[in-house]
Amino acid sequence: MHVVVCGALVENGAVLLVHRSPTRRAYPDLWDLPGGHVEAGESELQALAREMHEELGVHIVAESSSRLGDLHGGSGEDAVHVGVWQIRDWVGSPTNRAPEEHDDIAWVEISELGGLPLVFGALPALLRSLPEPDRLPRRDEARTTASPSGP
């Protein structure tokens, strides 16, 4: 079984999604949260911090991260266990630093997730379960971000 983590960067009622390249072996041409495999000797939070930096160029504030839940997919050798984390605070503006993995990134309103082709159909319900204060603008107003937009 593959152990994977992904992070939900949520701001102004929108979540940052990555579009998996059509050439990817697993889950091609679908929208997903950024993340990746937990490497040997890493905790999920360490893997999450590494993946967010590698894929988006942001540094997460570990204390602002909390586990939202778990998702499961595939079977046999392709079985995957995904730990989903909410990231409330990060440093830097997300950019696509892994164009070989993702051909696009976009801020998507949480209310609009159901209309997208997603890796995990349970993702919209998981993100809608966030408390309302977590959908408000972040306190770190000095940081510049892209404005929310659909794919």
Side-chain angles (χ1 to χ4, degrees):
M1 176 176 295
H2 302 276
V3 179
V4 172
V5 291
C6 61
L9 280 69
V10 179
E11 185 169 75
N12 299 323
V15 62
L16 187 72
L17 296 181
V18 295
H19 185 263
R20 296 175 64 87
S21 173
T23 60
R24 296 289 304 267
R25 183 182 77 77
Y27 307 105
D29 204 25
L30 297 173
W31 288 94
D32 198 6
L33 293 173
H37 289 86
V38 177
E39 295 178 357
E42 277 186 321
S43 69
E44 284 196 11
L45 195 51
Q46 289 169 327
L48 184 66
R50 178 182 50 75
E51 289 287 347
M52 293 298 108
H53 186 256
E54 288 175 1
E55 293 189 6
L56 301 173
V58 299
H59 295 279
I60 67 171
V61 177
E63 300 79 28
S64 79
S65 303
S66 59
R67 192 180 190 91
L68 278 178
D70 298 283
L71 300 171
H72 302 276
S75 61
E77 275 185 29
D78 293 328
V80 63
H81 173 263
V82 182
V84 181
W85 291 74
Q86 177 189 9
I87 303 167
R88 289 184 187 89
D89 201 12
W90 62 90
V91 177
S93 295
T95 57
N96 186 4
R97 291 242 177 129
E100 67 285 352
E101 295 181 28
H102 313 115
D103 58 6
D104 197 8
I105 65 172
W107 289 99
V108 178
E109 295 291 326
I110 291 173
S111 62
E112 297 174 3
L113 289 174
L116 292 177
L118 298 167
V119 170
F120 294 100
L123 188 59
L126 193 60
L127 291 171
R128 281 193 302 267
S129 73
L130 290 172
E132 284 300 318
D134 290 334
R135 296 186 189 177
L136 297 176
R138 292 188 13 225
R139 287 173 279 205
D140 178 10
E141 297 297 335
R143 189 181 50 74
T144 304
T145 62
S147 51
S149 65

